[in-house]
Amino acid sequence: MRFGLALAFLAGSAQADEAEDAFVHANVLAIFYHELGHAVIDLEEVPIFGQEEDAADVFSIFLIDALYDEDTALDLAYDAASGLWGEVVLRERDGGGIAWWDVHGPDEQRFYNTVCLFYGADPDGREEFALDMDLPEDRAVTCEEEYDLASTSWGAVLDRLQTPGGALTEFVPGPDSLANEVLAEEVAWINDTLSFSAPLTVRLDRCGEANAFYDPERSEIVVCTEFEPDLREMYRSFDA
C-alpha cells in the first residue's frame, strides 16, 4: 500500500495545519454522506439488495465525485480513502483483530471499494490516483462497470429527490469546530437542492465515543463531537 504517497500528496499541497484540516474536512464530509445515504434509504424507502452499509459507502463516494470539480473531488477522495486506511494502520498498530461479525465490511475492503468507485468514474483521468492507492489491476478492470452501476442506481434516486416542495432538513449545531462548519454547509446545500419525503435532523452532539450514526426512529443523523479530535489524532499518528 503506497500510503506514504497519499500523505506526501496532502503535505505538499498545504502547510501542515491546513493539510490536517483538509483531512478532517474530507472525512467528516465522507462520513456525513455515508449517514445521509442511510437517511435516504430510510426516508425514501429505497430498496437495498445486500448490505445497507455497503450501499451507504457507495453513496458517499458517489456524491464526492458528483458534486465537486475534479481537483476538489480528487483531494477529498485522497483524504477520505486515507482515513479508511488509517483505521487499518491503527488497528494493526494496536494489535486489534477484524470484527467479522460487524455490519460494516472490513476497513481494508471499504478502502478498496472506495478507491475503485472513484477511479471507475474516470479511469483515464484518475490512473495516478489508482496507482497511488495501489489498486490491484485485477480489481481495476471492473471499476468502470462498478461505477456505472452505482451511477444508474443512486443517480436515479438523487434525480427524484431534486423536486421542490419536500420536507426541510434541520441542523442542530454543536460547539464551534470545523465539523460544525462542514455540517452547517451541507445542511444548507441539502435544503437548496434536495427534498425528502419527511423531515430530517442533523445534529452535532457529544456521544461519549468517536462515532456517527443515523437513527431511523428519530429520522436524525448524529455526528459525535468526539469524531473530529479522533480524526486529528489519526492524522498526527501518520508521522509518528
Side-chain angles (χ1 to χ4, degrees):
M1 168 62 205
R2 295 176 184 156
F3 194 54
L5 287 178
L7 295 178
F9 176 89
L10 298 175
S13 65
Q15 298 296 324
D17 56 342
E18 293 176 345
E20 180 177 310
D21 282 349
F23 178 80
V24 171
H25 180 279
N27 281 277
V28 169
L29 197 69
I31 193 64
F32 174 70
Y33 287 164
H34 174 97
E35 301 307 334
L36 184 62
H38 285 300
V40 170
I41 290 167
D42 177 48
L43 298 177
E44 307 307 318
E45 299 181 344
V46 178
I48 299 297
F49 302 98
Q51 290 280 18
E52 185 174 318
E53 294 296 338
D54 292 341
D57 277 349
V58 171
F59 184 79
S60 179
I61 193 63
F62 177 76
L63 275 188
I64 287 174
D65 174 74
L67 298 179
Y68 297 91
D69 64 80
E70 179 62 20
D71 288 343
T72 303
L74 187 62
D75 287 348
L76 290 170
Y78 266 108
D79 276 333
S82 295
L84 288 171
W85 195 259
E87 295 290 350
V88 177
V89 172
L90 294 180
R91 187 192 72 229
E92 292 179 346
R93 184 195 67 183
D94 297 338
I98 298 174
W100 295 108
W101 47 264
D102 194 69
V103 293
H104 298 87
D107 292 316
E108 292 92 335
Q109 188 173 58
R110 297 179 71 190
F111 167 82
Y112 283 112
N113 287 344
T114 295
V115 170
C116 179
L117 282 169
F118 187 74
Y119 164 71
D122 182 10
D124 293 332
R126 296 174 179 172
E127 183 177 2
E128 184 176 356
F129 172 79
L131 291 172
D132 285 350
M133 293 305 188
D134 213 14
L135 182 67
E137 290 185 14
D138 286 348
R139 179 63 185 277
V141 296
T142 70
C143 293
E144 187 171 9
E145 292 180 4
E146 291 181 48
Y147 173 81
D148 288 343
L149 179 61
S151 180
T152 298
S153 53
W154 276 120
V157 172
L158 288 172
D159 286 344
R160 293 201 304 271
L161 292 178
Q162 296 181 55
T163 302
L168 293 178
T169 298
E170 177 188 8
F171 178 50
V172 181
D176 186 32
S177 62
L178 180 56
N180 204 66
E181 294 176 14
V182 172
L183 295 175
E185 291 175 358
E186 291 306 308
V187 170
W189 166 77
I190 289 172
N191 285 325
D192 285 343
T193 310
L194 305 179
S195 297
F196 299 134
S197 300
L200 173 68
T201 300
V202 177
R203 182 185 305 273
L204 180 64
D205 204 359
R206 182 172 177 80
C207 306
E209 62 177 346
N211 198 7
F213 57 91
Y214 173 68
D215 182 348
E217 293 187 1
R218 298 171 61 92
S219 299
E220 181 176 82
I221 295 172
V222 177
V223 178
C224 304
T225 56
E226 296 88 348
F227 187 53
E228 179 174 334
D230 189 69
L231 287 170
R232 293 189 183 280
E233 182 179 353
M234 176 190 289
Y235 183 86
R236 293 165 190 169
S237 74
F238 293 154
D239 293 328

